[in-house]
Amino acid sequence: MSLFHRLVAGVAGLLLVFSIGIFAINVNHARQSLLDSQRMETSNMTQGLSLALVQFIEAGDWTSARTLLQATSDGSFVSALRLDAVGLDEPIVVQNPGATRAPGWFQSLIALPQLSNRREISGGWSPLGTIMLEADNSLPYNQLWKLGLNLLLWLAIGMALTLVICALGFRRLLAPLHRLSHYLETLQIEGYAQPVASTRVRELQGITLAVNQLSARLNDQFVAQTAQVIRLQRMAEQDAVSKLGNRAYLTRILDEWLAAPESGALMILRIDHLSEIYRRDGFEQRDSAIRAIGHYLSGISVQGTPIQAARLSAEEFALIVPDDSDDHREELLVTLLDRIDDIVDINPLDESRVHHARAGVVLREPGLQRATMLSKADSALREAIESDQRWVTGSREARHNERSRGEWRMVIDRALASNEATFVAQPVLLNDGQELHRELFMRLREGDELHMASTFLPIARHFGIGAQMDRYVLDWLSRHGHETNRRLAVNLTQDLIGNDAEVNGLIEWLKNYPTLACRLDLEVTEDSVLRHTDNVQRLFRVAWNLDGRGGIDRFARDLNSLPILSRLRPDYVKIDQTFFVRDDVDNEFLRSLCMAAHQIEALVIVTRVESEAQRERVTDIGADGYQGYLAPAVPLNPVVN
């Protein structure tokens, strides 16, 4: 119960106690007054009748006596009259009980005694008889009931008005406290916000100041931690001249790229003219040209996705280019090489173009490893230099019955249409052995062959049908999610996150299945976070309201996402194990990365952990859990575990 409700309930209780007291005092006072009045009237009436009946008793006129008794009881407060007289064979009894509007419970609650009075009828030396009168309580009860109703009505009106006034007053007085509470909720969900406004309530001024100071201090601490991570990352993975990544950076992003279900190409550029600039103009001019090349490469993007670039040596650079068509990739190569040629040897008076930059290109294929990719790209570069070509694309591996992208698209559509998709779930374990969740992975069945997600997801991303596959997963969950009580995680594609209508549909789906949503963890990639922050934040908020969770997958590939953490406040982040197990990465950098995530209460999960040695190292660095071959995936079809 909230403080406001407690205060209103307390005031209502006090008003009820006071009202009961006022009601009891007033009714008891009225009751006593009615009893005194009834007692006096009973005594007077009995005395008057004893005098009036003397002449009728002496004359033996019993008819007149009865008539007098009946006339006295009619319309009066008398319930019964009894006359015992000399010469009367049987007593004369006249009864006239009245009717009351007071209910029985009220009469039992406020009981009135039955008043009666007896008096002798004087006849000289000896009494002529006795007259007994019993009072009727109908009229007093009616008066008390009317008084009680009026009291209850006015007390109820008074209580209602008092409660309304108190509620308005309490709401106004508690408004600063509500602002503080809302501010703290916002601080917990969205991170640092503007300081909360001060209040004139003296008791809350100190709390408001402390909350503002604590909020600013936490924000400064997170900013400092983020700056330290970025600084350490630059020290470990940034080339000082070009401001691009170095060999260590290329090693990491290559491993992460090859581990992710993505396509694209690796390019190695060589600019021999940089050596000529060094011999002719010195290292300052050469470094100036390298900085210009680095600035240009860092600004290139393909369909909104930036390329990842690193400097390998004095004259060589490496690029990871996102998936694109062959024609667009060639257009990018022409533009890129022309621009680099202009940077290193621009001569506006020379109409001829001298080609200084050469490139070796190798397309990503399933199963290729980092060493193979670099070797193939280097071989393609040497071939371009020897044959005096601007670039050479390395030959693809010869595979029997290799399918084109269009054929793969047909395989995907056919499998989804005929419900030939199957699911496995891989546990994510915390360091204490508890299970965080189980992540769902889709596999497509084609006859007796089962295609892994790493095979068809790059095709789905190329054709932009990731949202269709996400809807298939959600539809499967709506039909089979109730068959397991385990917490499940779904990794959403960028096609869905980047579409407002698809995000709205997912939100409606979550609201329609609240019992499933409370056991669901929504994962988005770091690239989706950087490109569609608003949609991710909106989705996470809905998930939290339904007791779900939100997480970021493939985190720390681009440290520009670190400042966004304080805004999104994910429940966990997942980092590839290649980021942790390399010997050339400083442990201080890794610990700072974990600390930055812990600043916003996010768990750090390391993926693709393959051995106990790797698990022990990531635990020592400060990660909270792991996912990988140590906890293999289990099938969910046809029986859900």
Side-chain angles (χ1 to χ4, degrees), residues 95-260:
Q95 293 182 339
N96 187 26
T100 179
R101 296 188 298 273
W105 63 266
F106 184 78
Q107 297 181 39
S108 61
L109 182 65
I110 307 174
L112 292 174
Q114 185 67 46
L115 296 180
S116 63
N117 201 343
R118 179 186 294 271
R119 186 174 292 275
E120 291 184 353
I121 303 174
S122 177
W125 295 102
S126 62
L128 298 177
T130 58
I131 180 70
M132 188 186 69
L133 184 148
E134 291 184 359
D136 186 11
N137 288 334
S138 299
L139 183 59
Y141 273 128
N142 288 338
Q143 293 176 340
L144 288 174
W145 176 245
K146 183 178 180 180
L147 173 65
L149 289 178
N150 291 334
L151 275 175
L152 289 175
L153 176 62
W154 286 108
L155 288 174
I157 294 175
M159 284 182 62
L161 290 176
T162 305
L163 285 177
V164 170
I165 294 173
C166 288
L168 294 176
F170 289 153
R171 192 174 295 278
R172 184 177 181 84
L173 290 174
L174 293 175
L177 197 58
H178 288 315
R179 285 199 299 270
L180 279 174
S181 177
H182 178 71
Y183 180 79
L184 291 175
E185 291 178 359
T186 304
L187 186 67
Q188 182 179 6
I189 295 176
E190 300 182 7
Y192 179 72
Q194 295 298 323
V196 65
S198 184
T199 175
R200 290 180 293 180
V201 180
R202 184 185 307 169
E203 288 79 2
L204 294 180
Q205 289 177 353
I207 299 177
T208 303
L209 179 61
V211 168
N212 286 333
Q213 291 177 346
L214 178 61
S215 174
R217 188 174 303 169
L218 290 175
N219 181 69
D220 293 342
Q221 186 176 0
F222 179 76
V223 170
Q225 190 69 48
T226 302
Q228 181 183 7
V229 173
I230 295 175
R231 177 179 58 83
L232 292 173
Q233 186 264 352
R234 288 174 178 172
M235 292 174 57
E237 296 186 341
Q238 188 180 64
D239 178 66
V241 180
S242 66
K243 304 302 180 184
L244 300 175
N246 55 17
R247 282 185 173 272
Y249 172 77
L250 179 64
T251 301
R252 176 172 67 85
I253 63 173
L254 259 178
D255 288 338
E256 293 172 353
W257 178 55
L258 294 173

Side-chain angles (χ1 to χ4, degrees), residues 624-636:
D624 302 289
Y626 62 94
Q627 177 182 12
Y629 301 116
L630 292 179
V634 295
L636 289 177

